[in-house]
Structures are given as structure tokens and as C-alpha cells.
Amino acid sequence: MDSVDTLYQYAWLIPVLPLIGAAVVGTGLISYGEATSKLRQPVAIFIVSLIGAAMVLSFAIFWSQWQGHAPYQAMFEWASAGDFRIEMGYTIDHLVALMLVVVTTVAFLVMIYTDGYMAHDAGYVRFYAYLSLFSSSMLSLVISPNLLQVYVFWELVGMCSYLLIGFWYDRKPAADACQKAFVTNRVGDFGLLLGILGLFWATGSFDFEIMGERLTDMVNVGSLPASVAAIFAILVFLGPVAKSAQFPLHVWLPDAMEGPTPISALIHAATMVAAGVFLVARMYPVFEHIPTVMTVIAYTGAFTAFMGATIAITQNDIKKGLAFSTMSQLGYMVMAMGVGAYSAGLFHLMTHAYFKAMLFLGSGSVIHGMEAVVGHDPVLAQDMRLMGGLRKYMPVTAITFLIGTLAISGIPPFAGFWSKDEILGATFAVNPALWAVGWLTAGITAFYMFRMYFSTFEGSFRGNDEGIRRDLKRAQFQKMGASLGPGAMNPQELTLDATHDDHDEHGHHAHEPHESPLSMIFPLMVLAVPSVLVGLVGTPFANYFEAFIHPPGEVFEAAEAAEAFDWSEFALMAGSSVAIATVGIIISVLMYRTKAIDPRAIAAKIPFFYNLSLNKWYIDDIYEVVFVQGSRKLAKQVLEVDIRIVDGLVNLAGLVTLVTGEGLKYLENGRAQFYALIVFGAVLGLVLLSGVT
């Protein structure tokens, strides 16, 4: 028992270990930049070892919690003034234990993958420092015991994502993307800050449970209007709306693909975007008693899921398609939280983290192979219209990508089937209309994912087709400065030497792509295992996951749940979701595998819907006109006021001073006779004036 308690007492090491790695490497880069940049392999081993140690500790804590150890909390007083006290520390419970395992395992595999992917990048060491700081920030957020501490690390996670999205900061698209992510998240985070302050004003606490209890009591007794409580809660929800890329603050996520692929996997699979869903789960004691807020959360998630899926249909850039897919899947999780399916939303968070990380890393492997043929132009290397037939050249990448595609499509027994089906079942019981949106989205998801798989790995290889290359380059030049239609993405995905094995001994491009090195395909193979099997812990007839992760304040009896399980209901719900997914797959096969249906002909018949999807529902265009151009016009008007009125008044005051000074200098000549004459004139004037009056 003592050893177990010791484990919990040192749980703070989980976020501190990667922080030490980031601090040591970062200090080296600042103080001895050139020397540290040359220590590539030692830095990689050092950073990966630290996150590996954190992962081992996380699994030990998870196992202890699974075995029934009571939640643990360590607190210390951070600040106090009179009765006002702020405590910081860390907490370990079932939700924290699960998130620690998910974050550390994905981060560990992503860091191994990074060694192969970034092998020839000049910023290799800097990238590892950023990854380590990002992992530490997210792990610190996970173990935070109260809302204030969550906010501190929430902002630190945002800063790290800003650094990583703009990793290639010397290129305009990357700089623009990180600024867009930063500004968009500032909107959500400002709402979160206002909500935190409002809840503290109302309840006097930052503790999740206490806030929930006090807020509910105040609404029940009438000391706080329910509408005010709902406003505070919705303001807090704005934070997850931005972080988890929910409508209308979703626009930063596709542009975030400007960062290297390893960070795409880390940000868009298990960490940053999951932070929003995690915060909704943490705030559940507050949200669940306010029906208006739960409704807002549910509808926001459903709409985002549908929007993301419909946009992904027309994407030709492999990473951008996966970005909109992530947005859609996060919508499922948020919808689940909104309808009260707490454990179902977190179950999908876990399964999605593994198969989406594998899909993103798989896309990076594809890009790595394509660069051998088309060079370092991302327009060519990431566009699926130049791919095809890669299964022959990259079998491991193809198989793992297919597993991820089956998982996200909701095909049994893969992980995504169990988590998505549980969400749809819970949603149907609460709101059949939302279920219909989720059900339709499931079919669209299967369609666009298999479209992506067939376009990339099946058929004949199109990478050497000069006609397609010319068309893509022509479109790039035509839309210079804007997105390249449906396939716009990274201006550069890797910065490699001419000596890289993508080239032959003369430095020319190879004629065929090749499989990625072991450091890149090993994480793919490892992630394939949970993508297939992890869903089995949450089957509806033996739901170990829900028994472990159940809503706070509720007691979950596994035996009662097993007795209440209805096979006929499960067969109907699961059968309908598999059926719609199968329909999506069949349509995808007919369009992109057998070519029995021409997608261009369909697009020509429904130009409005095609262009709506292609242009991302015009949300970015609307924001460009309203906010970007609108703010510029406002700035010009303010500048006019500043120049004409503010500066005009200052300049007028200066002019008056100058003129009066110039005039008075002739009166100040130092002659007593002249001064006497002035006095005589003044007296005479006064006499005459008094005589007139």
C-alpha cells in the first residue's frame, strides 16, 4: 500500500519530466544554439526517454485506478488575502488516469515518428523541444484540480500550438496559419475567462464539484437567475468551442496543417483538440443541471459534425481532409456530452485519439514517399489526384491507413464502431433529430474516408502524370496568395537535403515512391493495435469503460447495466449505423475504385452543393469580409480621426503657441521707454473705455 501511495505522491513527475526535457534542450538552444542543434540523436533519445518514463508512470496510475484505488488530491496554498485563498496542486481520478495514458502514449509514438520524419530538417532539435513543452502543458492541464489551474495550462497549450503550427515561421502561409489559430482561440479563451470569473463571482470557488453544487442551489432558491447561470456556463463553453474546433470557431483547424505532420497528429488527435472535450467533461457538474446549456452543447456538436463531414467530401489534400474529419469527430464527442452521454463522449475521445493519430501519421508517411517522386512541393506531394496505387510501394502504410479508415467509418469490430454506436444510441434516446444528423454524418464519413483511401492507395500511380502536375501548378499560380481550391495545404512539408534517400545518387527524383523508414512505420503498427481492439472495452453488453468512467456523482452498477442490455435494440441501432456506413463505402467504391459513377458528372448536376463544400460553406470568406476587411476599414477610419482631429488639435495648439510667441517677442525688447509707452497706452485705453461706458 505504501508503494501505491508513493506512486500517487510522485504523480506530479508525469508533466514535469517532459518539462525538464524542454527546459534543458531549450536552454541549450538559447545559450549554445549551434552546438545544441548538432546533438540531434542525443536530444531525441533524451526527450523520448523522458516522455517514455512519464508514460510508464501513467500506466501504473491507470492500473491502480482500475484496481479501485480511491481518487487522490495534493494541494498547496498558492495565494491568499484575508478570506480569499487560491489553491493549486494535482488530482488523480479515473478521468485523469485515462487521459494521462492517452496523451502519453500518443506523444511517445509521435516523438519516435518525428525522428524519421524530421530527420533532415534544420529545426529538428527545436521541434523536439516544442513537442516536449507541448506534452508537458497538456499533461499539466489534465491533472489540474480546479478551473483556474486548467485555465493557466489551457493558455500554455495554446501557446505551444502557436509555436508548432508556425514552426516554419519564415514562410507566409505558416505564419498566417499560426496567427489565425492564435486569434481564433483568443476569442474562445476570452469567453472562457469571463465565464470563469462569473462562476467564481457567483459561487466563490474554482472547484468543479463545489461550483456545480452551489450554482444549482442558488438557481433553485432563486438567488441567481437561471439565465445568468446559463450565460456563465455558455461563456465557459466558448473555450472548448475554439480549442475543439466547433462551429463557429472551427476555421483555424484546417489551416493548422501548415505545421509538420507529427504535430498534426499530436494536436489533432489526442491533445489540444481533446482538451476542449476534456474541459466539458470536467465542467459536467455545472453543465448537467442547466438544460439550456446542454441543448446548446448538443446542437453545436451535431452541426459541427455534419459540417465537417460535408466539407471533407471535396478535399483533395490528404491532410486537409483529415483535418475536417477531426472537426467532424469532435462534433460527435461534443454532441454526446450535450445529450448526457458522458462516458460515450469520452469513449469516442479515447478511440478517436488512437486511430486518428495513426491516420495523420499515415498521411505523413504518404507525403514522405511522394516527395521522392514530385519533390518538396506540397501542392504536388499532398494532393491525392497525384497519388494512387501506393499500396504496392507502401504496404505497411496502406494496411494501417485502411485499419484507421475502417475504424473511423464505424465498421465492427474496429474501435470506432463501438464508441460511435454508443453515441448514436444515447442521442436517439434523447433527441431523434440529432440522431438523424449523426446517423447521416456516419454515412458521409465512411464515403469520404474510403474516397481518401482509394484515391491514395488503389488504382494506378499518377505521380508521374505531367498533365495533372501542370493543371495543379496552373491552379496554384492562378490562386496565388489564396487557398489552392480543394487541395490547398502546406507550402513545404519537409525540408530535406539533396542527399536524402528520396533522391538517387545524382540528386534526381526517383520514379517511384517508397515505404517510410522503420522509425515512421513502427508507430503506425503500434497504433493499429488499439485502433482494432480498444473498442472492445466498451461494448454495450460488457461496458468496462463506462464502469470505469461514469459521470461524477453517479454510481454505475455494471451488473444492472448488463441485465438492462437489450439485444434487439442494439441490433437495430448498430445495424442502422453500419448500414449507412456500408452505403457510403459502396458509393465510394463505385466512384473511386470501379469508376462506375463519375463524380464530376454529379458535381456538375449539383453545382451549389459542390461549391458549398469546396468553399468550406463560405465561412472563411464571410470572416474575411466581416472581420479582416471590416477591421481594416475600421482601422482606417480610426486613423483618419487620429490624423484629422487628435493630431489636428495638437498641431493647432502648437501653431497658436508659435504665432503668439512670434508676436510677443517684438514686445519683449528690454527697453524701459517702450514698456512705459505700453503701460501709458493701456491706461489710456482703460480711461477711454470707462468714459464710453
Side-chain angles (χ1 to χ4, degrees):
M1 190 67 179
D2 291 340
S3 62
V4 174
D5 288 337
T6 302
L7 174 67
Y8 283 86
Q9 290 168 8
Y10 287 96
W12 54 268
L13 281 171
I14 294 174
V16 168
L17 287 171
L19 179 63
I20 291 171
V24 170
V25 176
T27 304
L29 285 170
I30 293 170
S31 305
Y32 310 99
E34 191 173 338
T36 305
S37 296
K38 293 177 180 177
L39 301 173
R40 298 162 77 88
Q41 290 306 312
V43 165
I45 292 169
F46 177 59
I47 295 289
V48 172
S49 299
L50 288 172
I51 196 69
M55 181 179 70
V56 171
L57 275 173
S58 298
F59 270 102
I61 286 175
F62 178 80
W63 180 250
S64 171
Q65 287 289 302
W66 186 272
Q67 294 298 311
H69 191 284
Y72 180 89
Q73 191 172 72
M75 303 294 290
F76 66 93
E77 190 173 280
W78 187 56
S80 64
D83 295 334
F84 177 76
R85 295 172 66 245
I86 296 178
E87 291 189 325
M88 296 294 189
Y90 66 92
T91 187
I92 304 293
D93 57 20
H94 291 183
L95 175 58
V96 170
L98 173 73
M99 291 296 296
L100 288 177
V101 167
V102 171
V103 173
T104 53
T105 50
V106 175
F108 178 71
L109 293 170
V110 164
M111 288 185 182
I112 293 174
Y113 179 95
T114 296
D115 177 60
Y117 192 84
M118 302 288 286
H120 294 265
D121 194 288
Y124 177 96
V125 172
R126 178 168 60 96
F127 190 70
Y128 265 108
Y130 287 172
L131 279 181
S132 196
L133 182 60
F134 185 93
S135 302
S136 173
S137 303
M138 184 63 196
L139 291 168
S140 300
L141 188 155
V142 166
I143 66 172
S144 296
N146 57 54
L147 189 53
L148 181 64
Q149 191 171 327
V150 164
Y151 183 74
V152 171
F153 291 107
W154 183 274
E155 293 301 323
L156 193 55
V157 165
M159 186 204 74
C160 293
S161 72
Y162 176 80
L163 293 173
L164 285 158
I165 293 167
F167 182 74
W168 289 310
Y169 57 85
D170 54 343
R171 299 196 312 273
K172 189 177 186 303
D176 290 345
C178 70
Q179 289 178 43
K180 188 174 183 178
F182 185 81
V183 171
T184 307
N185 277 278
R186 293 280 61 72
V187 176
D189 292 356
F190 182 61
L192 172 61
L193 178 60
L194 291 178
I196 292 172
L197 295 175
L199 288 173
F200 181 77
W201 168 79
T203 64
S205 175
F206 293 113
D207 184 88
F208 303 105
E209 296 287 345
I210 295 174
M211 279 193 301
E213 291 173 4
R214 291 181 182 174
L215 200 68
T216 304
D217 292 341
M218 292 172 74
V219 171
N220 289 339
V221 300
S223 59
L224 183 72
S227 58
V228 174
I231 289 171
F232 291 160
I234 290 173
L235 284 171
V236 170
F237 178 60
L238 276 179
V241 166
K243 273 286 190 293
S244 290
Q246 301 296 289
F247 174 82
L249 300 178
H250 64 281
V251 291
W252 67 271
L253 186 65
D255 293 58
M257 297 295 114
E258 294 295 342
T261 296
I263 198 55
S264 297
L266 197 57
I267 284 181
H268 305 118
T271 53
M272 180 171 162
V273 292
V277 179
F278 172 78
L279 181 56
V280 174
R282 270 284 179 244
M283 290 295 295
Y284 212 70
V286 175
F287 292 163
E288 67 175 333
H289 299 297
I290 310 175
T292 304
V293 177
M294 295 293 278
T295 303
V296 168
I297 293 172
Y299 276 91
T300 300
F303 183 77
T304 305
F306 180 73
M307 173 188 271
T310 55
I311 295 173
I313 290 175
T314 56
Q315 301 306 306
N316 289 315
D317 183 287
I318 189 168
K319 281 179 67 179
K320 204 164 193 180
L322 289 174
F324 283 110
S325 167
T326 301
M327 171 183 156
S328 180
Q329 297 302 307
L330 289 165
Y332 270 109
M333 300 173 208
V334 172
M335 180 176 73
M337 292 292 178
V339 298
Y342 175 89
S343 58
L346 292 173
F347 187 29
H348 196 54
L349 186 155
M350 178 184 73
T351 60
H352 176 265
Y354 290 120
F355 61 68
K356 184 52 66 67
M358 182 174 67
L359 286 168
F360 266 116
L361 296 181
S363 74
S365 179
V366 167
I367 295 165
H368 184 272
M370 284 296 294
E371 294 225 2
V373 180
V374 302
H376 308 316
D377 187 339
V379 173
L380 303 180
Q382 296 179 204
D383 199 299
M384 293 184 288
R385 289 170 289 190
L386 266 179
M387 298 177 188
L390 294 183
R391 180 165 55 88
K392 173 184 175 183
Y393 309 105
M394 310 177 73
V396 176
T397 303
I399 292 170
T400 53
F401 200 93
L402 178 60
I403 290 172
T405 301
L406 289 165
I408 197 172
S409 299
I411 304 299
F414 296 91
F417 163 74
W418 301 105
S419 56
K420 191 181 289 186
D421 182 69
E422 189 175 347
I423 290 174
L424 290 175
T427 304
F428 183 80
V430 175
N431 190 325
L434 288 182
W435 169 86
V437 174
W439 178 77
L440 184 60
T441 302
I444 301 172
T445 301
F447 169 76
Y448 71 69
M449 285 306 304
F450 271 90
R451 169 185 177 268
M452 192 177 292
Y453 174 77
F454 291 138
S455 298
T456 305
F457 295 102
E458 300 297 337
S460 57
F461 182 60
R462 302 179 291 275
N464 296 305
D465 190 320
E466 291 298 330
I468 299 176
R469 289 195 189 195
R470 274 196 306 273
D471 290 342
L472 293 176
K473 296 304 289 184
R474 188 181 299 116
Q476 181 185 23
F477 287 124
Q478 288 173 349
K479 300 189 177 183
M480 192 68 70
S483 298
L484 174 63
M489 275 305 299
N490 277 353
Q492 180 183 5
E493 187 48 71
L494 291 171
T495 310
L496 302 178
D497 299 335
T499 56
H500 190 273
D501 60 2
D502 283 351
H503 302 78
D504 62 21
E505 59 186 357
H506 304 294
H508 299 129
H509 295 308
H511 189 69
E512 295 177 346
H514 58 77
E515 185 61 275
S516 299
L518 180 62
S519 60
M520 290 174 68
I521 61 174
F522 172 72
L524 294 176
M525 293 186 288
V526 173
L527 286 166
V529 176
S531 297
V532 176
L533 299 177
V534 78
L536 298 177
V537 302
T539 59
F541 39 85
N543 200 332
Y544 300 106
F545 184 89
E546 189 168 4
F548 183 68
I549 298 286
H550 49 79
E554 292 185 17
V555 178
F556 181 84
E557 293 292 342
E560 291 181 10
E563 289 177 7
F565 174 65
D566 187 340
W567 274 103
S568 59
E569 182 183 344
F570 169 71
L572 181 63
M573 296 304 300
S576 63
S577 65
V578 172
I580 190 69
T582 305
V583 170
I585 294 170
I586 291 171
I587 296 173
S588 184
V589 169
L590 294 174
M591 284 188 180
Y592 299 100
R593 188 70 182 95
T594 65
K595 311 291 185 181
I597 300 175
D598 183 6
R600 292 185 183 86
I602 296 176
K605 290 179 180 178
I606 49 171
F608 173 78
F609 293 106
Y610 175 73
N611 288 320
L612 185 69
S613 172
L614 190 63
N615 292 287
K616 300 173 283 189
W617 285 42
Y618 299 100
I619 302 295
D620 282 277
D621 300 306
I622 294 169
Y623 287 0
E624 172 72 22
V625 172
V626 175
F627 296 112
V628 178
Q629 296 179 16
S631 61
R632 287 175 182 166
K633 289 178 181 176
L634 178 62
K636 288 179 180 177
Q637 295 298 320
V638 172
L639 181 62
E640 286 291 318
V641 172
D642 183 57
I643 292 172
R644 296 182 182 279
I645 298 177
V646 178
D647 287 357
L649 287 172
V650 172
N651 293 336
L652 179 62
L655 180 62
V656 169
T657 304
L658 180 65
V659 170
T660 53
E662 283 291 324
L664 288 172
K665 77 179 183 181
Y666 296 108
L667 303 179
E668 298 288 338
N669 54 19
R671 295 178 180 179
Q673 301 94 320
F674 184 71
Y675 296 156
L677 180 62
I678 292 174
V679 172
F680 176 74
V683 172
L684 183 61
L686 289 171
V687 170
L688 292 173
L689 183 65
S690 59
V692 172
T693 55

